[in-house]
Amino acid sequence: SIRDQARPVRYFEYQPGRSGKYPEAFLKGYTGYIHTDAYSGYNGVKGVTRCLCYTHLRCAFVDALPKDIHDPKASKTAQALLRLNKLFEIEKELDLIETAKANGLDAMKYIKYILSDMPGSTFLENPEYLDDYLPWDPMVQERCR
């Protein structure tokens, strides 16, 4: 689980298109797991294991529901939807707060630290400064436990 990792993080990357060149460039040199939809543009990314999107899977089950909900085929599809819905409830708990907690931080101290310190930082001009705000940074660990 991500909670067992030494430096757990969740990261989302936006790109202006759906070409495979974007994930290939962004993930070049990375090995590990990525959570994506089933789009074939990710097929060219080497060294990764794809964990596909449950939202897209859920859509397939919704589409498979028979129009007649009393049809015996509806029960298995409905069961799958109920289980996926339960996963979505669990997923709502995973966010910046959970990343802080997964790294042993007091989540409120961490959020207050970020909100009070970042406005004076020059991270827009020096994106590498953002590393100083990651929950496993030694200073963050010291200030936010």
Side-chain angles (χ1 to χ4, degrees), residues 48-102:
V48 298
T49 301
R50 290 176 59 196
C51 306
L52 299 179
C53 174
Y54 281 119
T55 300
H56 288 90
L57 176 64
R58 186 182 184 284
C59 289
F61 280 107
V62 169
D63 292 345
L65 272 174
K67 299 230 183 283
D68 177 7
I69 61 167
H70 300 292
D71 184 317
K73 295 177 190 169
S75 63
K76 288 186 179 185
T77 307
Q79 270 286 310
L81 287 170
L82 289 172
R83 290 179 183 189
L84 286 167
N85 289 344
K86 179 64 177 166
L87 285 174
F88 292 139
E89 288 299 314
I90 294 168
E91 185 181 45
K92 287 180 184 176
E93 299 172 13
L94 305 177
D95 55 19
L96 181 63
I97 300 293
E98 291 304 315
T99 299
K101 289 178 184 177

Side-chain angles (χ1 to χ4, degrees):
S1 129
I2 194 167
R3 294 175 196 264
D4 299 328
Q5 300 303 308
R7 295 181 170 181
V9 67
R10 294 162 187 95
Y11 185 82
F12 297 87
E13 171 79 6
Y14 169 80
Q15 292 294 339
R18 298 276 292 168
S19 169
K21 69 182 181 183
Y22 297 117
E24 285 177 37
F26 179 71
L27 297 166
K28 185 176 183 175
Y30 172 77
T31 57
Y33 294 92
I34 59 171
H35 184 209
T36 68
D37 61 13
Y39 180 64
S40 63
Y42 296 102
N43 291 346
V45 179
K46 305 293 184 224
V48 298
T49 301
R50 290 176 59 196
C51 306
L52 299 179
C53 174
Y54 281 119
T55 300
H56 288 90
L57 176 64
R58 186 182 184 284
C59 289
F61 280 107
V62 169
D63 292 345
L65 272 174
K67 299 230 183 283
D68 177 7
I69 61 167
H70 300 292
D71 184 317
K73 295 177 190 169
S75 63
K76 288 186 179 185
T77 307
Q79 270 286 310
L81 287 170
L82 289 172
R83 290 179 183 189
L84 286 167
N85 289 344
K86 179 64 177 166
L87 285 174
F88 292 139
E89 288 299 314
I90 294 168
E91 185 181 45
K92 287 180 184 176
E93 299 172 13
L94 305 177
D95 55 19
L96 181 63
I97 300 293
E98 291 304 315
T99 299
K101 289 178 184 177
N103 282 277
L105 301 181
D106 177 310
M108 288 306 294
K109 283 183 182 178
Y110 182 54
I111 297 299
K112 287 178 184 177
Y113 172 66
I114 289 173
L115 293 176
S116 65
D117 199 68
M118 280 185 91
S121 171
T122 59
F123 69 89
L124 292 175
E125 297 83 23
N126 303 289
E128 66 276 10
Y129 288 2
L130 288 174
D131 289 349
D132 297 339
Y133 295 96
L134 295 174
W136 48 82
D137 179 81
M139 187 178 354
V140 172
Q141 286 284 315
E142 185 179 318
R143 289 182 165 198
C144 301
R145 283 201 176 256

